[in-house]
Amino acid sequence: MRRYRDVVFVSLPIITIALILIPTLLGAIGPLPPIDVRDLAKTYLYFTLDIYNKSLWAASPEAVTAIVWDYRGLDTFYETIVFYTAIIGCLALYREVVRKPDRSKGEGLSIVVKKATAIAMLGIVAVGASTVLHGMLTPGGGFQGGSIIAVAPVLAIVVFSRILVDYSKITYEKAIMLRNLSIIGIALTALAPLIISLGNAFIFQNQVKAYTTFSYPSSILDVFMGGSLWFLNLFEGIAVSMAFFIAFKVLLYTEETSKEVLIGEDYGY
Amino acid sequence: MFSLTEDIIFVAMGIAAILSVIFVVLAIITKDLVKATIFSAVQSTLYAFLLYLLMSPDIVLVYVAVSVGLLPLITLVLVKKVGRYEKV
């Protein structure tokens, strides 16, 4: 029986790949993309930092960030909202207990681990912050940097025990408030061109376009900052790191505290 | 058509891809869920390496943080709640 299951398990992916591959090679899905599809990528690379033709540029040497936030800003905004809503769902399930400190009386791991983790946490936050703030120059950006920063509080919960996190200055209310403010920040950064130039601009407009005159500052001193990209990355980074922090704080409650939610349902409220 | 450097990169990608398949199989057949989580994290590390060789550093940055750091942690929390050994 076991061997039979293994044979099925190995042959299933092979059959699936063959079923997709053979019709594709025989031309069942219509004409395949031409070789010169790379021209699209070339176009983006030329336009993101073309200082001689500024009609379509994003003032950012990093093409991926420029595409994500400038050329396709609305897509990314809706992705952010999906993530935001998912975390709200998680918190709604635990609404009874999210504000309470946990019951655990643990003291965390040994002093050696605590000291090493304290140093590592600083490094993690620094790497995350530089990923967020250099998003328009080097690979990375808001989501990437935010999820790197989120590893630090999770380590703190595991290594230093929950007591430190529960009684620290970063309370549940503050984290939620930071997260909401950064979402509002993203929306305002997108709408600022419209508000400032009294409707004579596009939503998510970064640099000056034909017919519209609004433009975010394209550089600080002699470094390109990508106009609105820097602000959008910063707000996205704060939103993502806070969202992960809250979600893990809730998920890592001890068993008794988590069950308070379920006990409530037994009594019909 | 391809230079020697590109050949080396393709060979490295092939090795990483085959190794990742082995770790996926190990993660599925093992009965110890903690070991399964570790195997899955190793597979994620190999995928991150693959993505790096495919020249997509943006994806690598988020992939390493989420699938090598946060996902194994969530899975370990879950394993702690449901029990370590899978019953057949």
Side-chain angles (χ1 to χ4, degrees):
Chain A
M1 195 62 196
R2 177 77 195 275
R3 187 149 300 268
Y4 176 70
R5 201 183 74 167
D6 284 352
V7 169
V8 171
F9 168 63
V10 170
S11 55
L12 262 181
I14 296 174
I15 295 169
T16 315
I17 290 170
L19 277 178
I20 298 169
L21 193 68
I22 293 168
T24 310
L25 288 176
L26 292 175
I29 57 165
L32 292 172
I35 299 292
D36 57 0
V37 74
R38 285 164 182 254
D39 285 353
L40 185 67
K42 269 187 200 161
T43 316
Y44 276 124
L45 285 176
Y46 280 132
F47 276 123
T48 45
L49 196 71
D50 188 354
I51 53 167
Y52 300 108
N53 173 15
K54 294 187 178 177
S55 62
L56 289 172
W57 81 325
S60 153
E62 229 281 301
V64 177
T65 305
I67 291 168
V68 162
W69 274 122
D70 194 11
Y71 295 117
R72 295 209 163 270
L74 278 175
D75 288 16
T76 316
F77 181 68
Y78 285 126
E79 279 167 19
T80 307
I81 295 300
V82 167
F83 184 65
Y84 181 84
T85 323
I87 301 289
I88 286 183
C90 174
L91 295 180
L93 286 174
Y94 282 87
R95 62 193 177 282
E96 309 280 329
V97 292
V98 278
R99 284 181 185 80
K100 293 178 192 166
D102 204 355
R103 287 181 186 173
S104 68
K105 294 276 180 281
E107 291 176 352
L109 302 180
S110 74
I111 187 85
V112 178
V113 184
K114 278 185 184 172
K115 289 285 174 196
T117 314
I119 298 167
M121 271 168 61
L122 267 181
I124 292 169
V125 173
V127 168
S130 85
T131 313
V132 171
L133 298 174
H134 290 170
M136 65 289 171
L137 299 174
T138 50
F143 196 91
Q144 284 88 336
S147 49
I148 291 172
I149 295 175
V151 176
V154 173
L155 268 182
I157 292 176
V158 174
V159 173
F160 294 94
S161 90
R162 288 192 63 94
I163 294 172
L164 181 105
V165 182
D166 281 342
Y167 291 102
S168 70
K169 293 238 186 319
I170 314 168
T171 54
Y172 172 77
E173 281 82 9
K174 276 186 193 163
I176 289 276
M177 192 180 68
L178 263 177
R179 180 162 161 266
N180 291 341
L181 283 180
S182 53
I183 293 286
I184 295 171
I186 292 176
L188 279 182
T189 312
L191 292 175
L194 280 170
I195 298 167
I196 292 168
S197 62
L198 300 172
N200 192 24
F202 300 109
I203 190 169
F204 273 105
Q205 178 172 336
N206 179 357
Q207 298 296 313
V208 61
K209 300 271 181 295
Y211 313 120
T212 61
T213 49
F214 182 85
S215 155
Y216 277 100
S218 64
S219 56
I220 303 177
L221 300 177
D222 56 344
V223 181
F224 289 107
M225 68 167 284
S228 61
L229 300 184
W230 189 84
F231 299 101
L232 292 167
N233 271 339
L234 177 68
F235 292 134
E236 173 87 4
I238 296 172
V240 168
S241 56
M242 284 299 134
F244 272 129
F245 169 60
I246 300 164
F248 277 105
K249 198 167 173 296
V250 168
L251 285 176
L252 291 172
Y253 269 121
T254 48
E255 200 72 2
E256 299 97 58
T257 317
S258 307
K259 275 183 179 161
E260 280 181 24
V261 185
L262 298 173
I263 290 166
E265 288 189 356
D266 280 349
Y267 288 100
Y269 60 85
Chain B
M1 187 175 171
F2 297 113
S3 69
L4 181 67
T5 339
E6 279 178 339
D7 284 342
I8 293 171
I9 289 173
F10 283 132
V11 170
M13 277 167 61
I15 293 170
I18 292 166
L19 277 178
S20 76
V21 173
I22 294 171
F23 279 103
V24 170
V25 173
L26 283 174
I28 291 174
I29 61 175
T30 183
K31 297 286 174 210
D32 184 348
L33 293 176
V34 173
K35 273 187 190 166
T37 313
I38 293 166
F39 287 140
S40 141
V42 173
Q43 174 254 326
S44 300
T45 315
L46 288 164
Y47 271 22
F49 185 59
L50 260 179
L51 287 167
Y52 176 73
L53 291 176
L54 284 168
M55 292 191 279
S56 52
D58 292 88
I59 312 288
V60 175
L61 281 172
V62 71
Y63 198 85
V64 166
V66 171
S67 93
V68 184
L70 302 178
L71 182 67
L73 186 86
I74 286 192
T75 326
L76 285 177
V77 170
L78 191 69
V79 167
K80 196 185 161 208
K81 288 187 195 295
V82 299
R84 181 169 170 170
Y85 293 96
E86 194 180 344
K87 293 185 190 74
V88 190

PDB file of all heavy atoms in Angstrom, chain A residues 225-254:
ATOM      1  N   MET A 225      15.701  60.476  -5.544  1.00  0.00           N
ATOM      2  CA  MET A 225      14.833  59.904  -4.511  1.00  0.00           C
ATOM      3  C   MET A 225      13.496  59.428  -5.080  1.00  0.00           C
ATOM      4  O   MET A 225      12.651  58.937  -4.356  1.00  0.00           O
ATOM      5  CB  MET A 225      14.595  60.893  -3.381  1.00  0.00           C
ATOM      6  CG  MET A 225      13.772  62.110  -3.759  1.00  0.00           C
ATOM      7  SD  MET A 225      13.223  63.023  -2.333  1.00  0.00           S
ATOM      8  CE  MET A 225      11.899  62.003  -1.745  1.00  0.00           C
ATOM      9  N   GLY A 226      13.315  59.539  -6.362  1.00  0.00           N
ATOM     10  CA  GLY A 226      12.132  58.951  -6.966  1.00  0.00           C
ATOM     11  C   GLY A 226      10.840  59.660  -6.613  1.00  0.00           C
ATOM     12  O   GLY A 226       9.778  59.065  -6.708  1.00  0.00           O
ATOM     13  N   GLY A 227      10.905  60.909  -6.154  1.00  0.00           N
ATOM     14  CA  GLY A 227       9.681  61.653  -5.870  1.00  0.00           C
ATOM     15  C   GLY A 227       8.818  60.963  -4.842  1.00  0.00           C
ATOM     16  O   GLY A 227       9.220  60.774  -3.697  1.00  0.00           O
ATOM     17  N   SER A 228       7.603  60.548  -5.266  1.00  0.00           N
ATOM     18  CA  SER A 228       6.667  59.954  -4.319  1.00  0.00           C
ATOM     19  C   SER A 228       7.097  58.561  -3.885  1.00  0.00           C
ATOM     20  O   SER A 228       6.620  58.063  -2.868  1.00  0.00           O
ATOM     21  CB  SER A 228       5.286  59.885  -4.950  1.00  0.00           C
ATOM     22  OG  SER A 228       5.334  59.072  -6.096  1.00  0.00           O
ATOM     23  N   LEU A 229       7.996  57.898  -4.635  1.00  0.00           N
ATOM     24  CA  LEU A 229       8.355  56.510  -4.318  1.00  0.00           C
ATOM     25  C   LEU A 229       8.900  56.387  -2.902  1.00  0.00           C
ATOM     26  O   LEU A 229       8.594  55.436  -2.188  1.00  0.00           O
ATOM     27  CB  LEU A 229       9.393  55.983  -5.312  1.00  0.00           C
ATOM     28  CG  LEU A 229       8.991  55.963  -6.772  1.00  0.00           C
ATOM     29  CD1 LEU A 229      10.087  55.338  -7.601  1.00  0.00           C
ATOM     30  CD2 LEU A 229       7.711  55.202  -6.952  1.00  0.00           C
ATOM     31  N   TRP A 230       9.724  57.356  -2.490  1.00  0.00           N
ATOM     32  CA  TRP A 230      10.325  57.292  -1.152  1.00  0.00           C
ATOM     33  C   TRP A 230       9.246  57.301  -0.078  1.00  0.00           C
ATOM     34  O   TRP A 230       9.263  56.491   0.838  1.00  0.00           O
ATOM     35  CB  TRP A 230      11.249  58.493  -0.964  1.00  0.00           C
ATOM     36  CG  TRP A 230      12.075  58.423   0.261  1.00  0.00           C
ATOM     37  CD1 TRP A 230      13.258  57.767   0.409  1.00  0.00           C
ATOM     38  CD2 TRP A 230      11.765  59.008   1.532  1.00  0.00           C
ATOM     39  NE1 TRP A 230      13.711  57.921   1.690  1.00  0.00           N
ATOM     40  CE2 TRP A 230      12.823  58.676   2.403  1.00  0.00           C
ATOM     41  CE3 TRP A 230      10.716  59.778   2.017  1.00  0.00           C
ATOM     42  CZ2 TRP A 230      12.853  59.079   3.732  1.00  0.00           C
ATOM     43  CZ3 TRP A 230      10.746  60.180   3.334  1.00  0.00           C
ATOM     44  CH2 TRP A 230      11.803  59.837   4.174  1.00  0.00           C
ATOM     45  N   PHE A 231       8.260  58.199  -0.224  1.00  0.00           N
ATOM     46  CA  PHE A 231       7.175  58.282   0.767  1.00  0.00           C
ATOM     47  C   PHE A 231       6.336  57.010   0.769  1.00  0.00           C
ATOM     48  O   PHE A 231       6.011  56.458   1.818  1.00  0.00           O
ATOM     49  CB  PHE A 231       6.277  59.486   0.468  1.00  0.00           C
ATOM     50  CG  PHE A 231       6.995  60.794   0.521  1.00  0.00           C
ATOM     51  CD1 PHE A 231       7.400  61.418  -0.633  1.00  0.00           C
ATOM     52  CD2 PHE A 231       7.284  61.381   1.738  1.00  0.00           C
ATOM     53  CE1 PHE A 231       8.068  62.621  -0.584  1.00  0.00           C
ATOM     54  CE2 PHE A 231       7.961  62.578   1.801  1.00  0.00           C
ATOM     55  CZ  PHE A 231       8.357  63.202   0.632  1.00  0.00           C
ATOM     56  N   LEU A 232       5.993  56.529  -0.428  1.00  0.00           N
ATOM     57  CA  LEU A 232       5.149  55.332  -0.515  1.00  0.00           C
ATOM     58  C   LEU A 232       5.859  54.143   0.108  1.00  0.00           C
ATOM     59  O   LEU A 232       5.263  53.358   0.853  1.00  0.00           O
ATOM     60  CB  LEU A 232       4.790  55.058  -1.974  1.00  0.00           C
ATOM     61  CG  LEU A 232       3.860  56.095  -2.609  1.00  0.00           C
ATOM     62  CD1 LEU A 232       3.822  55.921  -4.113  1.00  0.00           C
ATOM     63  CD2 LEU A 232       2.465  55.953  -2.043  1.00  0.00           C
ATOM     64  N   ASN A 233       7.175  53.984  -0.184  1.00  0.00           N
ATOM     65  CA  ASN A 233       7.940  52.888   0.411  1.00  0.00           C
ATOM     66  C   ASN A 233       7.950  52.990   1.921  1.00  0.00           C
ATOM     67  O   ASN A 233       7.768  51.990   2.621  1.00  0.00           O
ATOM     68  CB  ASN A 233       9.384  52.925  -0.093  1.00  0.00           C
ATOM     69  CG  ASN A 233       9.552  52.137  -1.368  1.00  0.00           C
ATOM     70  OD1 ASN A 233       8.746  51.281  -1.670  1.00  0.00           O
ATOM     71  ND2 ASN A 233      10.604  52.430  -2.096  1.00  0.00           N
ATOM     72  N   LEU A 234       8.169  54.197   2.441  1.00  0.00           N
ATOM     73  CA  LEU A 234       8.244  54.384   3.895  1.00  0.00           C
ATOM     74  C   LEU A 234       6.927  53.976   4.554  1.00  0.00           C
ATOM     75  O   LEU A 234       6.907  53.190   5.506  1.00  0.00           O
ATOM     76  CB  LEU A 234       8.563  55.850   4.198  1.00  0.00           C
ATOM     77  CG  LEU A 234       8.597  56.220   5.674  1.00  0.00           C
ATOM     78  CD1 LEU A 234       9.784  55.561   6.339  1.00  0.00           C
ATOM     79  CD2 LEU A 234       8.687  57.719   5.853  1.00  0.00           C
ATOM     80  N   PHE A 235       5.795  54.472   4.023  1.00  0.00           N
ATOM     81  CA  PHE A 235       4.492  54.161   4.624  1.00  0.00           C
ATOM     82  C   PHE A 235       4.174  52.675   4.514  1.00  0.00           C
ATOM     83  O   PHE A 235       3.688  52.060   5.459  1.00  0.00           O
ATOM     84  CB  PHE A 235       3.391  54.998   3.963  1.00  0.00           C
ATOM     85  CG  PHE A 235       3.485  56.458   4.272  1.00  0.00           C
ATOM     86  CD1 PHE A 235       3.362  57.413   3.281  1.00  0.00           C
ATOM     87  CD2 PHE A 235       3.692  56.885   5.574  1.00  0.00           C
ATOM     88  CE1 PHE A 235       3.455  58.763   3.564  1.00  0.00           C
ATOM     89  CE2 PHE A 235       3.782  58.233   5.874  1.00  0.00           C
ATOM     90  CZ  PHE A 235       3.670  59.175   4.865  1.00  0.00           C
ATOM     91  N   GLU A 236       4.478  52.091   3.357  1.00  0.00           N
ATOM     92  CA  GLU A 236       4.229  50.667   3.170  1.00  0.00           C
ATOM     93  C   GLU A 236       5.063  49.849   4.159  1.00  0.00           C
ATOM     94  O   GLU A 236       4.578  48.889   4.760  1.00  0.00           O
ATOM     95  CB  GLU A 236       4.573  50.274   1.728  1.00  0.00           C
ATOM     96  CG  GLU A 236       4.526  48.793   1.440  1.00  0.00           C
ATOM     97  CD  GLU A 236       3.157  48.314   1.051  1.00  0.00           C
ATOM     98  OE1 GLU A 236       2.243  49.158   0.936  1.00  0.00           O
ATOM     99  OE2 GLU A 236       3.001  47.097   0.873  1.00  0.00           O
ATOM    100  N   GLY A 237       6.325  50.249   4.350  1.00  0.00           N
ATOM    101  CA  GLY A 237       7.199  49.533   5.290  1.00  0.00           C
ATOM    102  C   GLY A 237       6.633  49.558   6.695  1.00  0.00           C
ATOM    103  O   GLY A 237       6.574  48.526   7.370  1.00  0.00           O
ATOM    104  N   ILE A 238       6.179  50.748   7.152  1.00  0.00           N
ATOM    105  CA  ILE A 238       5.616  50.851   8.507  1.00  0.00           C
ATOM    106  C   ILE A 238       4.360  49.988   8.606  1.00  0.00           C
ATOM    107  O   ILE A 238       4.186  49.217   9.561  1.00  0.00           O
ATOM    108  CB  ILE A 238       5.289  52.318   8.853  1.00  0.00           C
ATOM    109  CG1 ILE A 238       6.567  53.141   8.896  1.00  0.00           C
ATOM    110  CG2 ILE A 238       4.579  52.410  10.173  1.00  0.00           C
ATOM    111  CD1 ILE A 238       6.330  54.629   9.027  1.00  0.00           C
ATOM    112  N   ALA A 239       3.484  50.084   7.585  1.00  0.00           N
ATOM    113  CA  ALA A 239       2.224  49.332   7.629  1.00  0.00           C
ATOM    114  C   ALA A 239       2.491  47.840   7.707  1.00  0.00           C
ATOM    115  O   ALA A 239       1.901  47.129   8.533  1.00  0.00           O
ATOM    116  CB  ALA A 239       1.379  49.658   6.397  1.00  0.00           C
ATOM    117  N   VAL A 240       3.404  47.333   6.863  1.00  0.00           N
ATOM    118  CA  VAL A 240       3.646  45.884   6.816  1.00  0.00           C
ATOM    119  C   VAL A 240       4.290  45.404   8.111  1.00  0.00           C
ATOM    120  O   VAL A 240       3.882  44.380   8.678  1.00  0.00           O
ATOM    121  CB  VAL A 240       4.518  45.534   5.595  1.00  0.00           C
ATOM    122  CG1 VAL A 240       5.015  44.116   5.672  1.00  0.00           C
ATOM    123  CG2 VAL A 240       3.730  45.736   4.327  1.00  0.00           C
ATOM    124  N   SER A 241       5.299  46.148   8.627  1.00  0.00           N
ATOM    125  CA  SER A 241       5.980  45.655   9.829  1.00  0.00           C
ATOM    126  C   SER A 241       5.019  45.640  11.012  1.00  0.00           C
ATOM    127  O   SER A 241       5.008  44.686  11.793  1.00  0.00           O
ATOM    128  CB  SER A 241       7.227  46.482  10.128  1.00  0.00           C
ATOM    129  OG  SER A 241       6.882  47.832  10.239  1.00  0.00           O
ATOM    130  N   MET A 242       4.186  46.680  11.137  1.00  0.00           N
ATOM    131  CA  MET A 242       3.234  46.723  12.245  1.00  0.00           C
ATOM    132  C   MET A 242       2.175  45.622  12.109  1.00  0.00           C
ATOM    133  O   MET A 242       1.797  44.981  13.087  1.00  0.00           O
ATOM    134  CB  MET A 242       2.557  48.093  12.305  1.00  0.00           C
ATOM    135  CG  MET A 242       3.431  49.171  12.867  1.00  0.00           C
ATOM    136  SD  MET A 242       3.913  48.786  14.556  1.00  0.00           S
ATOM    137  CE  MET A 242       5.638  49.146  14.524  1.00  0.00           C
ATOM    138  N   ALA A 243       1.736  45.376  10.862  1.00  0.00           N
ATOM    139  CA  ALA A 243       0.725  44.333  10.648  1.00  0.00           C
ATOM    140  C   ALA A 243       1.266  42.971  11.057  1.00  0.00           C
ATOM    141  O   ALA A 243       0.601  42.210  11.774  1.00  0.00           O
ATOM    142  CB  ALA A 243       0.298  44.316   9.190  1.00  0.00           C
ATOM    143  N   PHE A 244       2.483  42.654  10.635  1.00  0.00           N
ATOM    144  CA  PHE A 244       3.081  41.365  11.009  1.00  0.00           C
ATOM    145  C   PHE A 244       3.270  41.284  12.519  1.00  0.00           C
ATOM    146  O   PHE A 244       3.023  40.246  13.137  1.00  0.00           O
ATOM    147  CB  PHE A 244       4.436  41.175  10.319  1.00  0.00           C
ATOM    148  CG  PHE A 244       4.337  40.539   8.961  1.00  0.00           C
ATOM    149  CD1 PHE A 244       4.950  41.112   7.865  1.00  0.00           C
ATOM    150  CD2 PHE A 244       3.643  39.358   8.783  1.00  0.00           C
ATOM    151  CE1 PHE A 244       4.872  40.538   6.617  1.00  0.00           C
ATOM    152  CE2 PHE A 244       3.559  38.772   7.541  1.00  0.00           C
ATOM    153  CZ  PHE A 244       4.169  39.357   6.452  1.00  0.00           C
ATOM    154  N   PHE A 245       3.713  42.398  13.130  1.00  0.00           N
ATOM    155  CA  PHE A 245       3.944  42.406  14.581  1.00  0.00           C
ATOM    156  C   PHE A 245       2.655  42.074  15.327  1.00  0.00           C
ATOM    157  O   PHE A 245       2.633  41.204  16.203  1.00  0.00           O
ATOM    158  CB  PHE A 245       4.491  43.778  14.998  1.00  0.00           C
ATOM    159  CG  PHE A 245       4.512  44.002  16.480  1.00  0.00           C
ATOM    160  CD1 PHE A 245       5.249  43.168  17.311  1.00  0.00           C
ATOM    161  CD2 PHE A 245       3.796  45.033  17.052  1.00  0.00           C
ATOM    162  CE1 PHE A 245       5.272  43.358  18.672  1.00  0.00           C
ATOM    163  CE2 PHE A 245       3.823  45.237  18.417  1.00  0.00           C
ATOM    164  CZ  PHE A 245       4.555  44.407  19.228  1.00  0.00           C
ATOM    165  N   ILE A 246       1.561  42.757  14.949  1.00  0.00           N
ATOM    166  CA  ILE A 246       0.280  42.517  15.639  1.00  0.00           C
ATOM    167  C   ILE A 246      -0.175  41.086  15.421  1.00  0.00           C
ATOM    168  O   ILE A 246      -0.601  40.399  16.356  1.00  0.00           O
ATOM    169  CB  ILE A 246      -0.797  43.501  15.130  1.00  0.00           C
ATOM    170  CG1 ILE A 246      -0.376  44.931  15.377  1.00  0.00           C
ATOM    171  CG2 ILE A 246      -2.111  43.249  15.828  1.00  0.00           C
ATOM    172  CD1 ILE A 246      -1.177  45.926  14.593  1.00  0.00           C
ATOM    173  N   ALA A 247      -0.060  40.604  14.160  1.00  0.00           N
ATOM    174  CA  ALA A 247      -0.540  39.252  13.853  1.00  0.00           C
ATOM    175  C   ALA A 247       0.214  38.220  14.671  1.00  0.00           C
ATOM    176  O   ALA A 247      -0.391  37.298  15.244  1.00  0.00           O
ATOM    177  CB  ALA A 247      -0.375  38.981  12.370  1.00  0.00           C
ATOM    178  N   PHE A 248       1.538  38.368  14.786  1.00  0.00           N
ATOM    179  CA  PHE A 248       2.311  37.378  15.537  1.00  0.00           C
ATOM    180  C   PHE A 248       2.066  37.497  17.028  1.00  0.00           C
ATOM    181  O   PHE A 248       2.056  36.504  17.743  1.00  0.00           O
ATOM    182  CB  PHE A 248       3.795  37.514  15.224  1.00  0.00           C
ATOM    183  CG  PHE A 248       4.161  36.796  13.970  1.00  0.00           C
ATOM    184  CD1 PHE A 248       4.416  37.473  12.807  1.00  0.00           C
ATOM    185  CD2 PHE A 248       4.206  35.411  13.955  1.00  0.00           C
ATOM    186  CE1 PHE A 248       4.710  36.809  11.652  1.00  0.00           C
ATOM    187  CE2 PHE A 248       4.507  34.737  12.804  1.00  0.00           C
ATOM    188  CZ  PHE A 248       4.768  35.431  11.643  1.00  0.00           C
ATOM    189  N   LYS A 249       1.859  38.726  17.500  1.00  0.00           N
ATOM    190  CA  LYS A 249       1.557  38.921  18.917  1.00  0.00           C
ATOM    191  C   LYS A 249       0.279  38.150  19.262  1.00  0.00           C
ATOM    192  O   LYS A 249       0.196  37.512  20.308  1.00  0.00           O
ATOM    193  CB  LYS A 249       1.365  40.413  19.169  1.00  0.00           C
ATOM    194  CG  LYS A 249       1.473  40.853  20.606  1.00  0.00           C
ATOM    195  CD  LYS A 249       1.585  42.365  20.632  1.00  0.00           C
ATOM    196  CE  LYS A 249       1.528  42.949  22.010  1.00  0.00           C
ATOM    197  NZ  LYS A 249       0.311  42.782  22.746  1.00  0.00           N
ATOM    198  N   VAL A 250      -0.693  38.189  18.357  1.00  0.00           N
ATOM    199  CA  VAL A 250      -1.954  37.495  18.606  1.00  0.00           C
ATOM    200  C   VAL A 250      -1.775  35.989  18.488  1.00  0.00           C
ATOM    201  O   VAL A 250      -2.240  35.216  19.325  1.00  0.00           O
ATOM    202  CB  VAL A 250      -3.024  38.005  17.620  1.00  0.00           C
ATOM    203  CG1 VAL A 250      -4.242  37.117  17.663  1.00  0.00           C
ATOM    204  CG2 VAL A 250      -3.401  39.421  17.944  1.00  0.00           C
ATOM    205  N   LEU A 251      -1.057  35.542  17.438  1.00  0.00           N
ATOM    206  CA  LEU A 251      -0.913  34.104  17.204  1.00  0.00           C
ATOM    207  C   LEU A 251      -0.105  33.428  18.307  1.00  0.00           C
ATOM    208  O   LEU A 251      -0.289  32.247  18.588  1.00  0.00           O
ATOM    209  CB  LEU A 251      -0.228  33.859  15.855  1.00  0.00           C
ATOM    210  CG  LEU A 251      -1.086  34.071  14.622  1.00  0.00           C
ATOM    211  CD1 LEU A 251      -0.246  33.897  13.384  1.00  0.00           C
ATOM    212  CD2 LEU A 251      -2.233  33.090  14.602  1.00  0.00           C
ATOM    213  N   LEU A 252       0.825  34.168  18.944  1.00  0.00           N
ATOM    214  CA  LEU A 252       1.710  33.550  19.925  1.00  0.00           C
ATOM    215  C   LEU A 252       1.174  33.643  21.353  1.00  0.00           C
ATOM    216  O   LEU A 252       1.909  33.437  22.303  1.00  0.00           O
ATOM    217  CB  LEU A 252       3.107  34.175  19.850  1.00  0.00           C
ATOM    218  CG  LEU A 252       3.894  33.850  18.581  1.00  0.00           C
ATOM    219  CD1 LEU A 252       5.162  34.657  18.515  1.00  0.00           C
ATOM    220  CD2 LEU A 252       4.231  32.382  18.508  1.00  0.00           C
ATOM    221  N   TYR A 253      -0.116  33.953  21.508  1.00  0.00           N
ATOM    222  CA  TYR A 253      -0.711  33.879  22.839  1.00  0.00           C
ATOM    223  C   TYR A 253      -0.653  32.444  23.338  1.00  0.00           C
ATOM    224  O   TYR A 253      -0.681  31.496  22.550  1.00  0.00           O
ATOM    225  CB  TYR A 253      -2.182  34.300  22.793  1.00  0.00           C
ATOM    226  CG  TYR A 253      -2.421  35.775  23.035  1.00  0.00           C
ATOM    227  CD1 TYR A 253      -3.052  36.560  22.101  1.00  0.00           C
ATOM    228  CD2 TYR A 253      -2.013  36.346  24.234  1.00  0.00           C
ATOM    229  CE1 TYR A 253      -3.277  37.903  22.321  1.00  0.00           C
ATOM    230  CE2 TYR A 253      -2.234  37.686  24.465  1.00  0.00           C
ATOM    231  CZ  TYR A 253      -2.859  38.459  23.513  1.00  0.00           C
ATOM    232  OH  TYR A 253      -3.071  39.782  23.744  1.00  0.00           O
ATOM    233  N   THR A 254      -0.587  32.276  24.696  1.00  0.00           N
ATOM    234  CA  THR A 254      -0.599  30.903  25.226  1.00  0.00           C
ATOM    235  C   THR A 254      -1.981  30.283  25.012  1.00  0.00           C
ATOM    236  O   THR A 254      -2.959  30.972  24.731  1.00  0.00           O
ATOM    237  CB  THR A 254      -0.298  30.879  26.733  1.00  0.00           C
ATOM    238  OG1 THR A 254      -1.112  31.858  27.343  1.00  0.00           O
ATOM    239  CG2 THR A 254       1.156  31.124  27.005  1.00  0.00           C
TER     240      THR A 254
END
